[in-house]
mmCIF file of all heavy atoms in Angstrom:
data_model
loop_
_atom_site.group_PDB
_atom_site.id
_atom_site.type_symbol
_atom_site.label_atom_id
_atom_site.label_comp_id
_atom_site.label_asym_id
_atom_site.label_seq_id
_atom_site.Cartn_x
_atom_site.Cartn_y
_atom_site.Cartn_z
ATOM 1 N N VAL A 108 86.406 117.927 121.516
ATOM 2 C CA VAL A 108 87.028 119.103 121.049
ATOM 3 C C VAL A 108 86.136 120.238 121.133
ATOM 4 O O VAL A 108 85.082 120.197 120.455
ATOM 5 C CB VAL A 108 87.691 118.923 119.706
ATOM 6 C CG1 VAL A 108 88.506 120.125 119.321
ATOM 7 C CG2 VAL A 108 88.543 117.690 119.537
ATOM 8 N N THR A 109 86.411 121.251 121.841
ATOM 9 C CA THR A 109 85.552 122.418 121.901
ATOM 10 C C THR A 109 86.216 123.606 121.147
ATOM 11 O O THR A 109 87.352 123.769 121.323
ATOM 12 C CB THR A 109 85.414 122.888 123.378
ATOM 13 O OG1 THR A 109 86.609 123.157 124.004
ATOM 14 C CG2 THR A 109 84.650 121.810 124.215
ATOM 15 N N TYR A 110 85.417 124.231 120.384
ATOM 16 C CA TYR A 110 85.947 125.348 119.477
ATOM 17 C C TYR A 110 85.439 126.690 120.011
ATOM 18 O O TYR A 110 84.302 126.782 120.180
ATOM 19 C CB TYR A 110 85.575 125.162 117.967
ATOM 20 C CG TYR A 110 86.050 126.257 117.151
ATOM 21 C CD1 TYR A 110 87.348 126.424 116.686
ATOM 22 C CD2 TYR A 110 85.200 127.293 116.774
ATOM 23 C CE1 TYR A 110 87.729 127.489 115.871
ATOM 24 C CE2 TYR A 110 85.507 128.419 116.034
ATOM 25 C CZ TYR A 110 86.864 128.464 115.531
ATOM 26 O OH TYR A 110 87.289 129.511 114.807
ATOM 27 N N THR A 111 86.264 127.684 120.001
ATOM 28 C CA THR A 111 85.940 129.053 120.333
ATOM 29 C C THR A 111 86.412 129.955 119.276
ATOM 30 O O THR A 111 87.589 129.857 118.799
ATOM 31 C CB THR A 111 86.618 129.487 121.611
ATOM 32 O OG1 THR A 111 86.095 128.576 122.674
ATOM 33 C CG2 THR A 111 86.119 130.913 122.024
ATOM 34 N N SER A 112 85.546 130.896 118.800
ATOM 35 C CA SER A 112 85.958 131.822 117.809
ATOM 36 C C SER A 112 86.473 133.014 118.501
ATOM 37 O O SER A 112 85.884 133.587 119.418
ATOM 38 C CB SER A 112 84.785 132.259 116.971
ATOM 39 O OG SER A 112 85.149 133.316 115.998
ATOM 40 N N LEU A 113 87.754 133.356 118.163
ATOM 41 C CA LEU A 113 88.389 134.566 118.725
ATOM 42 C C LEU A 113 87.948 135.932 118.068
ATOM 43 O O LEU A 113 88.416 137.027 118.533
ATOM 44 C CB LEU A 113 89.953 134.446 118.600
ATOM 45 C CG LEU A 113 90.460 133.345 119.369
ATOM 46 C CD1 LEU A 113 91.968 133.109 118.967
ATOM 47 C CD2 LEU A 113 90.349 133.401 120.858
ATOM 48 N N GLY A 114 87.150 135.805 116.981
ATOM 49 C CA GLY A 114 86.741 136.996 116.316
ATOM 50 C C GLY A 114 87.817 137.715 115.519
ATOM 51 O O GLY A 114 88.890 137.056 115.274
ATOM 52 N N ASN A 115 87.572 138.907 115.111
ATOM 53 C CA ASN A 115 88.562 139.536 114.277
ATOM 54 C C ASN A 115 89.799 139.998 114.956
ATOM 55 O O ASN A 115 90.968 140.051 114.451
ATOM 56 C CB ASN A 115 87.947 140.815 113.706
ATOM 57 C CG ASN A 115 86.902 140.537 112.600
ATOM 58 O OD1 ASN A 115 87.193 139.688 111.679
ATOM 59 N ND2 ASN A 115 85.690 141.067 112.720
ATOM 60 N N ASN A 116 89.702 140.240 116.307
ATOM 61 C CA ASN A 116 90.890 140.704 117.076
ATOM 62 C C ASN A 116 91.601 139.569 117.812
ATOM 63 O O ASN A 116 91.517 139.359 118.979
ATOM 64 C CB ASN A 116 90.342 141.771 118.133
ATOM 65 C CG ASN A 116 91.475 142.661 118.612
ATOM 66 O OD1 ASN A 116 92.626 142.432 118.336
ATOM 67 N ND2 ASN A 116 91.000 143.756 119.232
ATOM 68 N N VAL A 117 92.253 138.737 117.012
ATOM 69 C CA VAL A 117 92.835 137.510 117.547
ATOM 70 C C VAL A 117 93.869 137.785 118.572
ATOM 71 O O VAL A 117 93.890 137.110 119.631
ATOM 72 C CB VAL A 117 93.457 136.757 116.268
ATOM 73 C CG1 VAL A 117 94.298 135.528 116.855
ATOM 74 C CG2 VAL A 117 92.423 136.178 115.412
ATOM 75 N N SER A 118 94.817 138.748 118.219
ATOM 76 C CA SER A 118 95.889 139.021 119.243
ATOM 77 C C SER A 118 95.452 139.395 120.571
ATOM 78 O O SER A 118 95.869 138.970 121.609
ATOM 79 C CB SER A 118 96.844 139.961 118.663
ATOM 80 O OG SER A 118 96.218 141.237 118.368
ATOM 81 N N THR A 119 94.411 140.336 120.639
ATOM 82 C CA THR A 119 93.956 140.781 121.893
ATOM 83 C C THR A 119 93.057 139.664 122.609
ATOM 84 O O THR A 119 93.313 139.494 123.830
ATOM 85 C CB THR A 119 93.081 141.976 121.726
ATOM 86 O OG1 THR A 119 93.808 142.943 121.116
ATOM 87 C CG2 THR A 119 92.400 142.518 122.976
ATOM 88 N N ALA A 120 92.262 139.055 121.890
ATOM 89 C CA ALA A 120 91.496 137.922 122.517
ATOM 90 C C ALA A 120 92.363 136.835 123.032
ATOM 91 O O ALA A 120 92.189 136.286 124.213
ATOM 92 C CB ALA A 120 90.449 137.387 121.594
ATOM 93 N N LEU A 121 93.360 136.388 122.333
ATOM 94 C CA LEU A 121 94.215 135.316 122.747
ATOM 95 C C LEU A 121 95.075 135.847 123.925
ATOM 96 O O LEU A 121 95.331 135.116 124.842
ATOM 97 C CB LEU A 121 95.123 134.904 121.573
ATOM 98 C CG LEU A 121 95.854 133.553 121.651
ATOM 99 C CD1 LEU A 121 94.907 132.367 122.020
ATOM 100 C CD2 LEU A 121 96.677 133.238 120.449
ATOM 101 N N GLY A 122 95.593 137.063 123.825
ATOM 102 C CA GLY A 122 96.471 137.603 124.817
ATOM 103 C C GLY A 122 95.721 137.702 126.198
ATOM 104 O O GLY A 122 96.271 137.402 127.165
ATOM 105 N N THR A 123 94.426 138.061 126.143
ATOM 106 C CA THR A 123 93.612 138.048 127.326
ATOM 107 C C THR A 123 93.416 136.719 127.947
ATOM 108 O O THR A 123 93.565 136.469 129.206
ATOM 109 C CB THR A 123 92.181 138.642 127.007
ATOM 110 O OG1 THR A 123 92.297 139.959 126.594
ATOM 111 C CG2 THR A 123 91.312 138.631 128.237
ATOM 112 N N GLN A 124 93.300 135.629 127.091
ATOM 113 C CA GLN A 124 93.131 134.265 127.605
ATOM 114 C C GLN A 124 94.476 133.863 128.221
ATOM 115 O O GLN A 124 94.459 133.224 129.263
ATOM 116 C CB GLN A 124 92.769 133.406 126.490
ATOM 117 C CG GLN A 124 91.327 133.550 125.951
ATOM 118 C CD GLN A 124 91.063 132.591 124.868
ATOM 119 O OE1 GLN A 124 91.792 131.745 124.424
ATOM 120 N NE2 GLN A 124 89.712 132.713 124.363
ATOM 121 N N ILE A 125 95.590 134.151 127.608
ATOM 122 C CA ILE A 125 96.981 133.857 128.112
ATOM 123 C C ILE A 125 97.140 134.441 129.466
ATOM 124 O O ILE A 125 97.575 133.814 130.450
ATOM 125 C CB ILE A 125 98.074 134.204 127.153
ATOM 126 C CG1 ILE A 125 97.905 133.405 125.831
ATOM 127 C CG2 ILE A 125 99.368 134.033 127.735
ATOM 128 C CD1 ILE A 125 98.775 133.803 124.738
ATOM 129 N N GLU A 126 96.841 135.815 129.618
ATOM 130 C CA GLU A 126 97.103 136.449 130.825
ATOM 131 C C GLU A 126 96.250 135.946 131.963
ATOM 132 O O GLU A 126 96.650 135.936 133.132
ATOM 133 C CB GLU A 126 96.819 137.933 130.612
ATOM 134 C CG GLU A 126 97.830 138.653 129.694
ATOM 135 C CD GLU A 126 97.489 140.068 129.491
ATOM 136 O OE1 GLU A 126 96.503 140.614 130.023
ATOM 137 O OE2 GLU A 126 98.187 140.767 128.674
ATOM 138 N N GLY A 127 94.967 135.540 131.607
ATOM 139 C CA GLY A 127 94.160 134.952 132.601
ATOM 140 C C GLY A 127 94.315 133.547 132.943
ATOM 141 O O GLY A 127 93.575 132.947 133.627
ATOM 142 N N GLY A 128 95.297 132.896 132.228
ATOM 143 C CA GLY A 128 95.653 131.457 132.564
ATOM 144 C C GLY A 128 94.744 130.535 131.839
ATOM 145 O O GLY A 128 94.671 129.335 132.233
ATOM 146 N N GLY A 129 93.958 131.022 130.835
ATOM 147 C CA GLY A 129 92.941 130.216 130.146
ATOM 148 C C GLY A 129 93.206 129.991 128.693
ATOM 149 O O GLY A 129 92.314 129.965 127.855
ATOM 150 N N ALA A 130 94.476 129.927 128.305
ATOM 151 C CA ALA A 130 94.856 129.779 126.928
ATOM 152 C C ALA A 130 94.277 128.502 126.401
ATOM 153 O O ALA A 130 94.211 127.460 127.138
ATOM 154 C CB ALA A 130 96.370 129.788 126.645
ATOM 155 N N PRO A 131 93.842 128.323 125.151
ATOM 156 C CA PRO A 131 93.460 127.135 124.600
ATOM 157 C C PRO A 131 94.583 126.185 124.468
ATOM 158 O O PRO A 131 95.701 126.537 124.552
ATOM 159 C CB PRO A 131 92.829 127.546 123.175
ATOM 160 C CG PRO A 131 93.723 128.722 122.840
ATOM 161 C CD PRO A 131 93.948 129.434 124.120
ATOM 162 N N ASP A 132 94.289 124.900 124.188
ATOM 163 C CA ASP A 132 95.389 123.942 123.883
ATOM 164 C C ASP A 132 96.040 124.234 122.567
ATOM 165 O O ASP A 132 97.229 124.148 122.409
ATOM 166 C CB ASP A 132 94.804 122.489 123.948
ATOM 167 C CG ASP A 132 94.258 122.212 125.316
ATOM 168 O OD1 ASP A 132 94.992 122.183 126.268
ATOM 169 O OD2 ASP A 132 93.062 121.940 125.371
ATOM 170 N N ILE A 133 95.144 124.618 121.589
ATOM 171 C CA ILE A 133 95.582 124.870 120.225
ATOM 172 C C ILE A 133 94.889 126.119 119.746
ATOM 173 O O ILE A 133 93.746 126.289 119.928
ATOM 174 C CB ILE A 133 95.307 123.752 119.252
ATOM 175 C CG1 ILE A 133 96.178 122.513 119.634
ATOM 176 C CG2 ILE A 133 95.574 124.049 117.837
ATOM 177 C CD1 ILE A 133 95.830 121.149 118.833
ATOM 178 N N ALA A 134 95.709 127.037 119.052
ATOM 179 C CA ALA A 134 95.071 128.138 118.280
ATOM 180 C C ALA A 134 95.590 128.062 116.844
ATOM 181 O O ALA A 134 96.742 127.713 116.697
ATOM 182 C CB ALA A 134 95.510 129.389 119.063
ATOM 183 N N LEU A 135 94.628 128.403 115.997
ATOM 184 C CA LEU A 135 95.148 128.552 114.595
ATOM 185 C C LEU A 135 95.002 130.077 114.234
ATOM 186 O O LEU A 135 93.911 130.610 114.155
ATOM 187 C CB LEU A 135 94.150 127.741 113.693
ATOM 188 C CG LEU A 135 94.283 126.236 113.881
ATOM 189 C CD1 LEU A 135 93.200 125.627 114.776
ATOM 190 C CD2 LEU A 135 94.224 125.511 112.464
ATOM 191 N N VAL A 136 96.163 130.630 114.103
ATOM 192 C CA VAL A 136 96.273 132.118 114.007
ATOM 193 C C VAL A 136 96.647 132.497 112.567
ATOM 194 O O VAL A 136 97.379 131.851 111.973
ATOM 195 C CB VAL A 136 97.227 132.660 115.070
ATOM 196 C CG1 VAL A 136 96.739 132.263 116.452
ATOM 197 C CG2 VAL A 136 98.587 132.221 114.866
ATOM 198 N N PRO A 137 96.136 133.715 112.191
ATOM 199 C CA PRO A 137 96.512 134.241 110.793
ATOM 200 C C PRO A 137 97.728 135.080 110.734
ATOM 201 O O PRO A 137 97.997 135.643 109.768
ATOM 202 C CB PRO A 137 95.186 134.870 110.389
ATOM 203 C CG PRO A 137 94.675 135.428 111.709
ATOM 204 C CD PRO A 137 95.154 134.482 112.806
ATOM 205 N N GLN A 138 98.392 135.199 111.787
ATOM 206 C CA GLN A 138 99.427 136.352 111.850
ATOM 207 C C GLN A 138 100.809 135.690 112.235
ATOM 208 O O GLN A 138 101.010 135.372 113.463
ATOM 209 C CB GLN A 138 99.064 137.393 112.845
ATOM 210 C CG GLN A 138 97.761 138.077 112.504
ATOM 211 C CD GLN A 138 97.030 138.662 113.647
ATOM 212 O OE1 GLN A 138 97.336 138.283 114.833
ATOM 213 N NE2 GLN A 138 96.165 139.703 113.441
ATOM 214 N N PRO A 139 101.697 135.532 111.293
ATOM 215 C CA PRO A 139 103.065 135.054 111.681
ATOM 216 C C PRO A 139 103.770 135.932 112.673
ATOM 217 O O PRO A 139 104.504 135.528 113.460
ATOM 218 C CB PRO A 139 103.845 135.018 110.340
ATOM 219 C CG PRO A 139 102.685 134.845 109.369
ATOM 220 C CD PRO A 139 101.588 135.662 109.817
ATOM 221 N N GLY A 140 103.438 137.235 112.585
ATOM 222 C CA GLY A 140 104.009 138.150 113.475
ATOM 223 C C GLY A 140 103.609 137.831 114.959
ATOM 224 O O GLY A 140 104.379 138.016 115.898
ATOM 225 N N LEU A 141 102.311 137.405 115.174
ATOM 226 C CA LEU A 141 101.845 137.047 116.442
ATOM 227 C C LEU A 141 102.621 135.722 116.945
ATOM 228 O O LEU A 141 102.924 135.593 118.126
ATOM 229 C CB LEU A 141 100.372 136.869 116.431
ATOM 230 C CG LEU A 141 99.726 136.242 117.717
ATOM 231 C CD1 LEU A 141 99.953 137.197 118.896
ATOM 232 C CD2 LEU A 141 98.190 136.050 117.458
ATOM 233 N N VAL A 142 102.836 134.836 116.024
ATOM 234 C CA VAL A 142 103.531 133.573 116.459
ATOM 235 C C VAL A 142 104.958 133.929 116.893
ATOM 236 O O VAL A 142 105.443 133.449 117.883
ATOM 237 C CB VAL A 142 103.602 132.614 115.272
ATOM 238 C CG1 VAL A 142 104.409 131.354 115.624
ATOM 239 C CG2 VAL A 142 102.240 132.318 114.693
ATOM 240 N N ASP A 143 105.615 134.881 116.243
ATOM 241 C CA ASP A 143 106.968 135.296 116.653
ATOM 242 C C ASP A 143 106.869 135.761 118.079
ATOM 243 O O ASP A 143 107.694 135.411 118.953
ATOM 244 C CB ASP A 143 107.391 136.466 115.846
ATOM 245 C CG ASP A 143 107.907 136.025 114.442
ATOM 246 O OD1 ASP A 143 108.592 134.951 114.429
ATOM 247 O OD2 ASP A 143 107.731 136.836 113.379
#
Side-chain angles (χ1 to χ4, degrees):
V108 184
T109 61
Y110 175 82
T111 301
S112 176
L113 298 171
N115 290 308
N116 203 345
V117 172
S118 61
T119 299
L121 195 57
T123 300
Q124 292 181 358
I125 293 170
E126 291 176 6
D132 297 299
I133 293 172
L135 293 97
V136 300
Q138 299 154 339
L141 175 59
V142 179
D143 283 325

